[in-house]
Amino acid sequence: MQKKNFGEWYSNILKVAGIVDVRYPVKGIYVWCPFGFKIRRYTYGILRELLDKSGHEETLFPLLIPEEEFMKEAEHIAGFQDEVYWVTRGGLDELEIPLVLRPTSETAIYPIFKLWIRSHADLPLLTYQIANTFRYETKSTRPLIRAREITSFEEAHTAHESYEDAEMQVKKAVEIYKSFFKRLCIPITISKRPDWDKFPGADHTIAVDTLMPDGRTLQIGTVHHLADNFARTFEIRYEDERGERRYVHQTCYGISERCIAAMISIHGDDRGLILPPEVAPIQLVIIPIIKKEGGEEVLKRCRKIEERLGERYRVKLDLSEERPGAKYYHWELKGVPVRIELGPRDIKKDEVVISRRDEQKKISVKMEELDNRIEEEMNKMGKNLLLKAEAGMRERIFECAKIEEMSNHVRKGIIKASWCGDESCGREMEERSGADILGDILGEEEDGICPICGKETKIKVYLAKTY
Ligand code: A5A
Ligand code: MG
Ligand code: ZN
């Protein structure tokens, strides 16, 4: 498997590592395999932990949305009408009220928020759900990256007293997503999408992107400030302290299985997956090296290690009939962070050999130091994966002053450029460079000149070829 042919590598690894099965007979719809689903479980465990501890409560709203509710918010419909699946029949009957499969859940949730929210005492309201959503995507579909059934859609929905309170929530959400991607060792950029690329119905959108090995960026999360746009449509009001009825201001933010696509793609190598220890279904594999003699003793000791380390880690003792070399190969493919080898010679020295998936070095460790050493190596591995990935992204960010330079760097990474902020210049810059504007780099202002109109500006933007 050669990662330099990234498209092929990606399809292949999903298959051979047992992440998803793409043979389901509906385009853009995939099956999670047991191993892939375990990665999903640990990954979403982190997301749940972060949302729970920042005051969000988990809910679950229905999959089916009545046409009338779905059609209420003009911009929202305009943005999604090409992408929705309709349910129009029940058995042999035409449904009186056609239903849409949620492409996202604003129009399922907000009619109920209207009932739940009465007074300022009900605010802020912070909820999230993890569910499947359906989008009839027309761009080419790709497992975990552009699915028609998004199986792992985490969407948070919040309501607040004022625009400013919602703005604060946007900042908190960005911090939550930053922590999440840090735990997955995924480097990100954060930018404010241009108006023509914001979420349908939003006041503005902050996006989280990462750079994939083929030089294109993938949007792996978005945080939307909805202002009172949906509140006015769905009449979500609260009574303030003086007894006046006011519209709430809302936010919503989402992440999908793209986070797993990014994690696999960014860390993996020619040998297979490399998983951050926190989300690896198997964190530690023990391989007994059985020679002609001393097999009993080796197995006994391996079982002991399995039992002891099994209290703290997800451990696999590989007792299959394969030769050690074949076992190494298999567990490397599966991305197991740490391997322990133990043979008769190691027993004599009261040692074991350990090696980390991200570095091919073998290290001999005294038995009594094993527990501490494993903990240390797991920590180091997480840090190393993040540092390596960050460096990989940093060296593929190119500052460009002219359109020609920009087009030369498309598909090589992320372009950083000045932009006056006018839509017409932005669109022309996209067209002539062949890259899309990801958005305004928040908190970064620098004197520069718009490459289209020549006006002076402080706005810096990222551009890239996107997925
Ligand atoms: N309700 C808000 C949160 C929302 O729907 N936002 S969104 O449309 O931007 O989607 C949230 C995230 O889902 C996106 O940032 C993107 O990372 C992911 N996503 C969107 N379409 C997807 C698809 N077809 N397959 C996989 N992930 C997708
Ligand atoms: Mg565009
Ligand atoms: Zn300009």
Side-chain angles (χ1 to χ4, degrees), residues 418-422 424-426 429 449-455 457:
S418 295
W419 172 40
C420 67
D422 284 347
S424 62
C425 285
M429 192 143 79
I449 289 169
C450 174
I452 303 294
C453 68
K455 253 191 270 172
T457 176

Side-chain angles (χ1 to χ4, degrees), residues 229-256:
N229 299 346
F230 284 88
R232 286 176 185 275
T233 307
F234 289 93
E235 298 181 312
I236 313 173
R237 278 185 285 199
Y238 70 99
E239 208 171 87
D240 73 8
E241 269 145 357
R242 284 176 301 173
E244 266 178 67
R245 295 189 74 209
R246 296 175 175 280
Y247 288 113
V248 298
H249 284 75
Q250 291 172 274
T251 80
C252 66
Y253 28 103
I255 276 181
S256 77

